[in-house]
Amino acid sequence: MAVSTQTLIEIIGRTIDGCAAAGIAVVSGAGARAEAVWVPACALDEPACLAYSITKTFTAVLILQLRDEQRLALDDRLARWFPRIDRADRISLGQLLNHTAGIPDYGELVS
């Protein structure tokens, strides 16, 4: 089942209604080439936006992989990597991952 780039653009267009950036890819079978499109196609046209929650997922996966490789522990303190962050010596990686570190929402701080 091949999907045309134009079809993918139309699907994204209906979904995001011109107000955000999005990507979609379709792989029709094992070994098949992915049919993919990103809207907008030009990075200069992409709206500026904060990544927020999506980065949490990627960061958590990487931290857990590093834990599995015994390169760090969830009890390790943030100060090991970021000593200049306020209270970093009292914040564990585990607390960051389960949102109990006491760090406030940073969205209003960025403008």
Side-chain angles (χ1 to χ4, degrees), residues 72-89:
L72 56 77
L74 295 182
D75 290 332
D76 287 348
R77 300 297 162 187
L78 186 60
R80 178 176 171 188
W81 298 276
F82 299 102
R84 297 164 81 187
I85 291 179
D86 186 39
R87 299 177 319 218
D89 59 327

Side-chain angles (χ1 to χ4, degrees), residues 4-110:
S4 73
T5 300
Q6 186 57 40
T7 300
L8 296 176
I9 291 171
E10 289 171 12
I11 292 168
I12 291 175
R14 287 192 308 262
T15 305
I16 67 171
D17 197 25
C19 64
I24 189 171
V26 176
V27 179
S28 57
R33 185 173 134 318
E35 299 293 331
V37 68
W38 176 260
V39 174
C42 174
L44 297 175
D45 296 332
E46 185 174 326
C49 61
L50 297 173
Y52 278 118
S53 293
I54 190 66
T55 60
K56 294 175 196 174
T57 304
F58 298 124
T59 302
V61 167
L62 291 173
I63 288 174
L64 293 174
Q65 286 178 334
L66 291 169
R67 188 249 352 238
D68 291 349
E69 295 172 4
Q70 299 179 344
R71 295 173 65 184
L72 56 77
L74 295 182
D75 290 332
D76 287 348
R77 300 297 162 187
L78 186 60
R80 178 176 171 188
W81 298 276
F82 299 102
R84 297 164 81 187
I85 291 179
D86 186 39
R87 299 177 319 218
D89 59 327
R90 295 183 289 183
I91 298 172
S92 72
L93 296 179
Q95 288 173 311
L96 287 173
L97 292 178
N98 66 23
H99 305 278
T100 59
I103 296 177
D105 180 13
Y106 62 85
E108 292 181 11
L109 303 175
V110 179

